Amino acid sequence: MEKATENAKNPAPAAPVKLLGSWASSYTHRVQLALRLKGLEFEYKEEDLGSKSEELLRLNPVHKKVPVLVHGGRALPESVVILQYLDDAWPETRPLLPADAFDRALARFWCHFADDKLGPAVGAVFASTGEEQEAAVRQVHENLALLEAELRDGAFRGRRFFGGDEVGFLDVVLGCGSYWLAVFEEVTGARLVDADAFPLFHAWLRDFEALDDVRETIPAVDRLLEYARGVRHMLLGLAGAGGAANPADEAPVAAPPAAATDIAVDI
Ligand SMILES: N[C@@H](CCC(=O)N[C@@H](CS)C(=O)NCC(=O)O)C(=O)O
């Protein structure tokens, strides 16, 4: 990632931590929440994703995205990679991953599910209308049903949080993203998290959102709503009346407002 400079040594745990992020980015929220849960001090730098800083482009030349964690001068991108690093670098302060090897692997598996299946399905609801949106809503429901089954009879049975009595790695990954569900419901009119259909998932999300660290991390719903309305308007404008199958393919000619395309595909 960064070149071999005087900084290219393993940072001491006490070395300063800085986070480059964006206020509406759920990936940024994952890292902010993990840092808060672990009680780690950090400096936050807000990025304008419509006009990325030279620092961001230098520190994340591969994806040019936030979040990027800088620890002792060394830079690390990708939210899930960062979360794992936080646990590796500060193992004593509130581990986020479970202690058991199999449970750790399962948490990682469901993180992939969140990023590869659930997130894109929710993004497709946000970026479409009509029949296309109905199909995307069905996909969200199928994915939520899978999680509900795990909470009811599977790996997470009987737990308040995916991590157990307290939130852990998977809660952070799934939770920072799931708060968009209510925002997208409001903006699109689609019903995504029906408490009758997904009672355990619904209860989990309610408990997660009530935590002080989470409330400190997630922006006010009014702000998210305003942002999401603007992005949806722009996406549907770009995509034409029916909406795009994959908004990422509808690359705008002009630079979009901050993170406009990401919210739809990557919430
Ligand atoms: N897989 C990455 C996704 C990060 C991502 O998509 N970040 C968005 C903001 S939500 C971004 O920086 N987008 C700017 C761009 O694509 O130009 C992660 O988990 O960190």
Side-chain angles (χ1 to χ4, degrees):
M1 202 54 52
E2 92 275 34
K3 311 237 165 17
T5 63
E6 69 280 6
N7 290 325
K9 340 182 196 86
N10 288 345
V17 175
K18 178 172 168 182
L19 174 65
L20 277 65
S22 172
W23 74 270
S25 157
S26 54
Y27 301 104
T28 299
H29 298 152
R30 289 175 177 178
V31 179
Q32 287 173 315
L33 178 58
L35 286 163
R36 287 200 172 105
L37 288 169
K38 289 179 85 71
L40 299 170
E41 296 284 323
F42 64 102
E43 175 197 344
Y44 177 72
K45 183 188 169 214
E46 175 74 14
E47 276 291 326
D48 175 357
L49 296 180
S51 169
K52 295 173 185 170
S53 71
E54 179 278 327
E55 186 182 23
L56 175 62
L57 300 177
R58 178 170 48 83
L59 295 179
N60 188 359
V62 177
H63 299 298
K64 306 178 178 63
K65 293 184 175 193
V66 294
V68 176
L69 185 91
V70 188
H71 182 205
R74 300 195 72 185
L76 197 59
E78 287 295 316
S79 60
V80 172
V81 175
I82 296 170
L83 259 50
Q84 298 196 36
Y85 174 71
L86 295 181
D87 251 11
D88 288 342
W90 289 273
E92 307 303 335
T93 51
R94 174 130 182 210
L96 296 172
L97 276 164
D100 176 77
F102 197 87
D103 285 343
R104 293 162 80 85
L106 265 186
R108 291 193 185 103
F109 170 84
W110 287 103
C111 286
H112 283 290
F113 165 86
D115 281 351
D116 300 343
K117 284 180 77 80
L118 181 60
V122 176
V125 172
F126 179 66
S128 61
T129 55
E131 283 178 19
E132 196 180 326
Q133 189 181 66
E134 283 165 25
V137 169
R138 279 196 295 280
Q139 283 213 351
V140 171
H141 290 167
E142 278 170 26
N143 284 315
L144 290 181
L146 292 169
L147 278 176
E148 185 73 18
E150 289 300 318
L151 286 164
R152 193 180 53 240
D153 313 308
F156 310 112
R157 184 175 165 194
R159 294 191 186 178
R160 180 175 179 212
F161 295 108
F162 289 97
D165 292 336
E166 297 199 346
V167 288
F169 201 88
L170 181 55
D171 296 280
V172 172
V173 169
L174 259 181
C176 297
S178 294
Y179 63 83
W180 280 111
L181 290 164
V183 175
F184 286 4
E185 282 186 342
E186 178 92 20
V187 170
T188 64
R191 192 87 185 99
L192 296 176
V193 189
D194 187 333
D196 292 332
F198 310 111
L200 298 174
F201 180 85
H202 188 267
W204 162 76
L205 186 54
R206 187 200 53 211
D207 288 352
F208 174 81
E209 288 180 339
L211 296 171
D212 286 344
D213 285 322
V214 173
R215 290 158 68 94
E216 263 179 60
T217 303
I218 296 174
V221 71
D222 290 359
R223 209 174 162 210
L224 293 175
L225 274 169
E226 188 189 342
Y227 179 72
R229 282 200 183 99
V231 175
R232 178 159 157 90
H233 186 78
M234 195 207 70
L235 282 168
L236 294 183
L238 288 170
N246 179 0
D249 295 337
E250 300 274 340
V253 182
T261 49
D262 294 304
I263 192 177
V265 252
D266 298 334
I267 61 155

